[in-house]
Amino acid sequence: MSNRKANRAGARELRHALLPGTGALISVGLFSVFVNLLMLTGPLFMLQVYDRVLGSRSEETLVALLILVAGLYALMGILDYARGRVAARVGAGLQSRLDPRVFGGTLVNATSDGQSPLRDLEAVQRLYSSPAFFALLDIPWAPIFILVIFVFHPMLGWLALGGGVLLIIIAVINQFATFRPVGDANQKGAASNALADSLRAQGEVVRGMGMETAARVRWQNLRNMALEAQIKSSDLTGTFGSLTKTLRMFLQSAILALGAYLVLQGEVTAGAMIAASIMLGRALAPVEQTIAQWPLILRARYGWRGLAEFLGSVPDIEERTKLPRPRAILEVRGLTVVPPGGAHPTLKLDGFDLAEGQALGVVGQSASGKTTLARVLTGIWQPVSGTIRLDGASIDQYGEDLGLHVGYLPQEVSLFEATVAENIARLSEKPNATAVVAAAKKAGAHEMILQLSDGYDTVVAGGNGKLSGGQKQRIGLARAMYGSPVLLILDEPNASLDAPGSVALNRAIKEFKEDGNAVIIMAHRPSGIAECDLLMIMQDGMRKAFGPRDEVLRAKVQNHEDISDNLNAEAGP
């Protein structure tokens, strides 16, 4: 799908998500109609006071008008409050409907430029509850107020119209002049935040390798660039805001002066003079407020555009017919895989079969395609061509349930800020204690977990600083085995394990196979393939050798090829 088509598809999805709030938005529009009509209360009251009450010196008329005005203002306040609450709920409803979709999309396709789609969604939501949204709704009423001023006197109307046109011209110039600087400020701010998040996540490496100064300087440079861009955009928007405010106040004084002149000439009444000044201020107020709130409007505009691009690039997960628990029979045929954002395939694999109770070892040097294979078998990456079938069904037919049948231990294990039990239970709110302990025992991690400060209830903090690499790897293996999957895919599972940990790993793999399940192990240590029945050697993303483990090793020896490099090479994608 082309970028343009993807963006259109994303925009359609956004409009569809906004559709349930259409009725509420219509009510907001109706409330705005009555609010703006009731805005005429003040000018008309002044007109009556100056022209009727003062002229007739009638206290009864003044009291009656005051009571009427109090009721109208109360009604206006209620309607204004109602439209604010309704609009805020429209924005909240939009965010609530899109949150699961956007969050799920970020897990599938994390952005690399630091712009978070969730923040884009929040920017759109904030617009609905901000004064800027109502200013945009009120702007169309400016011509109506100016038309009323024409009724008082044409000269007053032309002055109001000229001032309004001038403010609109300033608003248009403001839009074009600030669009790029505000976007640049947002982009640079996001880049500095992304670097800060990355440095915090790698805090141990930064401190352990004496990178604090270099990291701080690099982050500070980005931060300074972001601040400079923000100041530039703020100065620019502030200039237009101050210019608009000054011009609006001058126009009100100018129309008051012109009205006074016309009063002296006997062409208008004093009440019309005051009413025209108040009405002009009301007509120009939303224009001024729009310019003052322009950065917020632009951020929402960027957010809407970013969401459209993001949703168009990440297809929604379709509802799938729930399939029964599969057998551990894996068939791979003709795989070609291009990493997300890449242009060239990193994996071209003819295929292989894996039966129940079998373990396949995959070895190869860095960049041989081992991790790519692991990612595509778990459904993290999608192949350009080829098929992957589990018990006869392609893995995409299982939908989200695929993770229940396939356990995955990535090369770099990351635990979440939760208890050990919740991590093993894959962040379930109420972990099944029996299943958690069973998975830990299968992974040989039960005794190790019991030695932690609070056992299974030990809270794993951000960065997992309290746990060693081997402990994280064994907890990660328990997480992969939780829920009795039929297929385990282990990417360098013994990379951080000591000798007892490797023994426990091999025992776990043996017992897993004995239960009729299958295992695929990406390994660079000989101990990693001790329980493997089959062996596949990969090079440059292609299969170099495949077959029973002992036969492949024997053939290598007979051909005087050194397998040790493959088994001892560092893990590569």
Side-chain angles (χ1 to χ4, degrees):
M1 184 183 294
S2 66
N3 288 339
R4 183 173 297 178
K5 288 183 178 180
N7 292 348
R8 285 201 296 265
R12 282 195 302 270
E13 185 173 352
L14 283 174
R15 289 193 295 270
H16 183 74
L18 191 58
L19 197 60
T22 302
L25 286 176
I26 291 175
S27 67
V28 169
L30 290 175
F31 290 158
S32 296
V33 169
F34 290 109
V35 166
N36 280 277
L37 287 175
L38 290 169
M39 287 290 182
L40 295 171
T41 300
L44 294 179
F45 176 69
M46 297 298 295
L47 182 65
Q48 295 300 316
V49 168
Y50 274 88
D51 294 349
R52 178 171 297 181
V53 175
L54 296 182
S56 64
R57 305 183 67 83
S58 173
E59 296 178 359
E60 292 81 3
T61 304
L62 179 61
V63 171
L65 286 173
L66 184 60
I67 293 175
L68 177 62
V69 166
L72 293 176
Y73 272 133
L75 179 60
M76 184 185 70
I78 292 172
L79 291 175
D80 195 36
Y81 174 83
R83 73 170 182 169
R85 303 290 70 74
V86 173
R89 280 154 179 77
V90 170
L94 176 66
Q95 181 172 343
S96 178
R97 286 186 291 274
L98 285 177
D99 265 341
R101 169 79 170 96
V102 175
F103 180 75
T106 59
L107 297 180
V108 174
N109 182 23
T111 55
S112 58
D113 59 358
Q115 290 285 358
S116 169
L118 290 171
R119 293 177 184 173
D120 287 342
L121 181 56
E122 289 177 359
V124 175
Q125 179 271 327
R126 282 196 299 270
L127 178 63
Y128 283 97
S129 57
S130 70
F133 180 66
F134 303 109
L136 293 173
L137 291 178
D138 293 340
I139 282 179
W141 285 85
I144 297 176
F145 291 127
I146 292 176
L147 184 62
V148 174
I149 297 175
F150 266 102
V151 173
F152 295 147
H153 195 281
M155 291 181 64
L156 294 175
W158 285 115
L159 178 59
L161 180 62
V165 169
L166 186 57
L167 278 184
I168 291 175
I169 292 174
I170 293 175
V172 172
I173 296 174
N174 170 67
Q175 177 180 354
F176 286 101
T178 60
F179 184 80
R180 192 178 298 275
V182 171
D184 184 51
N186 289 333
Q187 185 176 7
K188 289 179 178 178
S192 67
N193 291 336
L195 178 61
D197 292 340
S198 175
L199 292 174
R200 282 196 298 268
Q202 300 293 326
E204 290 186 1
V205 175
V206 172
R207 292 191 301 272
M209 301 186 68
M211 298 164 57
E212 294 98 330
T213 300
R216 185 166 54 251
V217 169
R218 180 177 289 267
W219 174 81
Q220 191 67 60
N221 288 338
L222 275 179
R223 191 67 168 174
N224 289 339
M225 290 172 61
L227 288 173
E228 183 179 350
Q230 289 171 3
I231 291 173
K232 181 179 178 181
S233 65
S234 178
D235 287 346
L236 199 54
T237 55
T239 298
F240 283 103
S242 298
L243 178 61
T244 304
K245 183 177 180 180
T246 303
L247 180 59
R248 192 260 302 167
M249 295 177 68
F250 169 75
L251 286 172
Q252 282 190 267
S253 298
I255 201 168
L256 193 63
L258 178 59
Y261 171 78
L262 294 174
V263 169
L264 294 176
Q265 300 299 316
E267 297 185 29
V268 297
T269 64
M273 173 189 70
I274 299 298
S277 177
I278 296 175
M279 203 163 291
L280 178 63
R282 176 56 199 159
L284 301 183
V287 179
E288 178 187 348
Q289 195 168 42
T290 299
I291 294 176
Q293 297 282 324
W294 193 246
L296 179 64
I297 297 172
L298 272 186
R299 181 64 187 93
R301 181 179 175 185
Y302 277 114
W304 184 272
R305 180 182 298 178
L307 281 173
E309 293 176 359
F310 178 76
L311 294 176
S313 66
V314 183
D316 197 5
I317 299 175
E318 300 178 1
E319 289 288 337
R320 291 284 189 176
T321 301
K322 192 174 182 64
L323 297 178
R325 187 174 187 269
R327 295 173 297 168
I329 301 175
L330 184 67
E331 303 171 20
V332 178
R333 296 288 182 273
L335 279 188
T336 299
V337 181
V338 177
H344 304 287
T346 57
L347 183 66
K348 293 181 179 180
L349 198 61
D350 296 335
F352 62 89
D353 294 332
L354 193 61
E356 296 173 286
Q358 286 187 324
L360 167 66
V362 181
V363 299
Q365 296 180 353
S366 292
S368 61
K370 302 190 302 295
T371 297
T372 298
L373 177 61
R375 287 171 175 163
V376 75
L377 290 177
T378 53
I380 298 174
W381 288 357
Q382 299 299 316
V384 174
S385 62
T387 59
I388 305 171
R389 296 188 177 275
L390 183 61
D391 196 11
S394 60
I395 59 174
D396 62 325
Q397 293 182 27
Y398 291 97
E400 292 185 349
D401 287 346
L402 180 65
L404 303 177
H405 308 311
V406 178
Y408 178 48
L409 180 67
Q411 191 176 124
E412 296 183 4
V413 178
S414 295
L415 302 180
F416 305 103
E417 292 198 20
T419 65
V420 170
E422 289 169 338
N423 270 280
I424 294 176
R426 305 183 182 185
L427 295 183
S428 297
E429 291 185 5
K430 295 181 179 179
N432 185 321
T434 302
V436 167
V437 174
K441 287 183 176 179
K442 288 180 182 179
H446 177 66
E447 298 297 332
M448 180 270 294
I449 294 173
L450 293 179
Q451 299 301 316
L452 298 176
S453 58
D454 291 317
Y456 284 90
D457 296 318
T458 301
V459 176
V460 179
N464 314 141
K466 295 181 179 179
L467 300 178
S468 68
Q471 288 174 318
K472 288 193 293 184
Q473 199 134 24
R474 292 167 78 172
I475 294 174
L477 179 60
R479 180 173 61 192
M481 302 184 79
Y482 177 80
S484 300
V486 300
L487 174 65
L488 270 184
I489 299 176
L490 312 177
D491 194 355
E492 308 293 352
N494 58 355
S496 301
L497 298 179
D498 53 15
S502 295
V503 171
L505 171 65
N506 288 328
R507 183 169 59 248
I509 293 172
K510 182 179 180 181
E511 293 175 355
F512 190 77
K513 288 167 48 183
E514 290 174 350
D515 291 336
N517 303 311
V519 186
I520 298 178
I521 305 170
M522 283 66 184
H524 70 275
R525 290 185 185 176
S527 59
I529 61 171
E531 293 296 331
C532 291
D533 308 283
L534 302 171
L535 183 63
M536 180 163 61
I537 298 176
M538 297 188 65
Q539 183 176 341
D540 298 327
M542 294 182 287
R543 188 180 74 185
K544 188 177 180 181
F546 175 76
R549 183 194 62 182
D550 294 340
E551 290 184 11
V552 173
L553 293 177
R554 191 180 305 115
K556 287 291 181 180
V557 172
Q558 291 175 352
N559 293 330
H560 304 288
E561 295 182 32
D562 188 5
I563 189 68
S564 62
D565 289 341
N566 291 322
L567 291 176
N568 293 297
E570 293 184 357

